[in-house]
Amino acid sequence: MNQPVSRASVHAFYADAILRGRNTAENLQAATSERFNTLLESIGDGTPRTALDLGYGAGTYTIALARAGFRVVAVDQIPSNSLLQRIDDGSDWAHRIEARECLAEHFAFDENFGVVVAKDVLHYLARRDVESLLTSAIAHARGANYHYLEVFTGITRRSADGRLLRIEGEADYSPDAFRQVIERIYDGWDLTVLLSEHAEQDSRTGRNCFEATRATVIATNRTA
């Protein structure tokens, strides 16, 4: 087995990509997904106007939430300068965003968030941290809450020379194992789990460097 890629090097890669505004093979600069847009448009007045974007990256989902009227706590391990630069334009929604520099697994839930977003971040964490975070989010949920997760499962990574790679300590869920975890944790919530195949190409070789099944989770707690 090859030596795993350190989590520190992964953190450094994303910090540099965001700082430089670079798009990566996974399309860090992409717009919000149609599934998320549809969910956001469906949220009614009974949902608390507070949101958490866990692992906000380029800040696209954070900004969409703020524009929709939510007070957003935006959490990421990268310095917040890039996000603050995107919102420092006098927009009437900019004051709704609070950026916190923190590893996702170290975030402590201390309030009820009407919306929780975790896109392309949870698969980097250890399984115990994924499950602890989601369990804590649910424990603080009050009223009509929505959770939107995008998590890669069944991951295969390859280096430019074709070697298999893995990241130190990552969850490494299979699609079925992840679905079972989600169904257990979100017991009593309305739950949708959508699976789709995903691949990314190495720009140097044109070959796939990342293949996975993307799990999109939309969980709704309708208890008022």
Side-chain angles (χ1 to χ4, degrees):
M1 177 66 69
N2 295 322
Q3 185 74 16
V5 178
S6 73
R7 296 189 67 190
S9 66
V10 173
H11 293 163
F13 170 82
Y14 283 109
D16 180 71
I18 295 296
L19 176 65
R20 299 176 184 275
R22 292 194 293 109
N23 213 1
T24 60
E26 70 207 78
N27 200 5
L28 276 177
Q29 304 295 330
T32 53
S33 72
E34 286 303 315
R35 287 172 179 165
F36 177 77
N37 294 341
T38 299
L39 175 65
L40 193 56
E41 291 168 2
S42 74
I43 296 174
D45 294 337
T47 297
R49 308 309 284 180
T50 55
L52 171 69
D53 188 358
L54 197 60
Y56 62 79
T60 305
Y61 284 72
T62 290
I63 291 170
L65 287 160
R67 283 177 168 162
F70 289 86
R71 176 180 65 81
V72 188
V73 174
V75 175
D76 208 308
Q77 58 90 21
I78 62 177
S80 60
N81 307 51
S82 298
L83 176 61
L84 296 177
Q85 287 173 3
R86 287 193 68 181
I87 65 177
D88 186 22
D89 59 1
S91 300
D92 59 4
W93 46 264
H95 68 281
R96 301 190 189 115
I97 297 174
E98 175 193 348
R100 297 187 192 177
E101 187 175 339
C102 172
L103 291 172
E105 60 268 38
H106 292 168
F107 180 77
F109 281 84
D110 57 4
E111 64 176 294
N112 171 31
F113 292 105
V115 179
V116 173
V117 174
K119 182 181 184 298
D120 297 352
V121 63
L122 294 181
H123 56 276
Y124 288 116
L125 310 187
R127 291 192 182 193
R128 64 180 180 275
D129 291 327
V130 174
E131 294 167 29
S132 175
L133 274 172
L134 297 180
T135 299
S136 184
I138 289 169
H140 286 82
R142 302 289 183 274
N145 298 89
Y146 296 82
H147 290 187
Y148 180 88
L149 319 174
E150 291 191 20
V151 182
F152 286 122
T153 65
I155 296 170
T156 300
R157 293 185 181 86
R158 294 187 183 276
S159 64
D161 60 3
R163 290 180 297 110
L164 288 172
L165 300 174
R166 63 184 180 89
I167 292 175
E168 173 190 15
E170 66 181 335
D172 195 25
Y173 287 110
S174 69
D176 286 344
F178 183 69
R179 182 191 287 273
Q180 290 170 12
V181 165
I182 290 298
E183 289 175 347
R184 172 174 54 82
I185 291 176
Y186 283 97
D187 183 40
W189 289 48
D190 293 343
L191 188 61
T192 300
V193 181
L194 304 167
L195 301 178
S196 58
E197 297 308 306
H198 178 89
E200 298 168 11
Q201 286 73 43
D202 187 321
S203 60
R204 298 163 295 181
T205 66
R207 295 193 296 267
N208 285 356
C209 58
F210 182 92
E211 297 173 343
T213 300
R214 184 196 291 275
T216 300
V217 176
I218 302 171
T220 308
N221 177 29
R222 301 190 186 278
T223 304

